């Protein structure tokens, strides 16, 4: 088992919450990979809630084009 804080139960739960928040609007074939990567990055950057996640995801996707 990894001791990496990004994979603690709490952080994995946050990753799931962010994914759940965004999936209905943005889980398309075009954005599926980006959504998974964003959720990982969101947690890895130290965010502690879903607040601001949608706005940040749209900015993230926009930066890829």
């Amino acid at each position: 088992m990894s001791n990496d804080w990004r994979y603690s139960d709490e952080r994995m739960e946050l990753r799931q919450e962010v994914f759940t928040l965004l999936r209905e609007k943005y889980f398309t074939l075009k954005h599926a990979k980006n959504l998974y990567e964003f959720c990982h990055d969101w947690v890895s950057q130290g965010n502690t809630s879903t607040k601001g996640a949608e706005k940040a995801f749209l900015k993230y996707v926009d930066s890829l084009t």
Side-chain angles (χ1 to χ4, degrees):
M1 179 95 186
S2 174
N3 289 329
D4 190 332
W5 64 271
R6 296 173 301 168
Y7 299 103
S8 69
D9 289 344
E10 178 182 300
R11 305 309 283 172
M12 293 302 288
E13 186 175 318
L14 176 59
R15 191 179 268 105
Q16 178 182 355
E17 290 171 7
V18 173
F19 182 84
T20 300
L21 173 73
L22 299 173
R23 98 174 147 205
E24 278 192 44
K25 283 185 173 179
Y26 306 107
F27 191 75
T28 63
L29 187 56
K30 180 179 178 181
H31 292 301
K33 179 178 182 264
N34 303 133
L35 183 55
Y36 283 105
E37 290 172 347
F38 174 80
C39 291
H40 172 76
D41 291 348
W42 183 259
V43 169
S44 296
Q45 291 171 358
N47 291 291
T48 57
S49 74
T50 61
K51 185 176 181 182
E54 184 172 4
K55 184 177 178 180
F57 177 72
L58 293 174
K59 186 176 178 180
Y60 172 78
V61 170
D62 190 47
S63 75
L64 300 173
T65 56

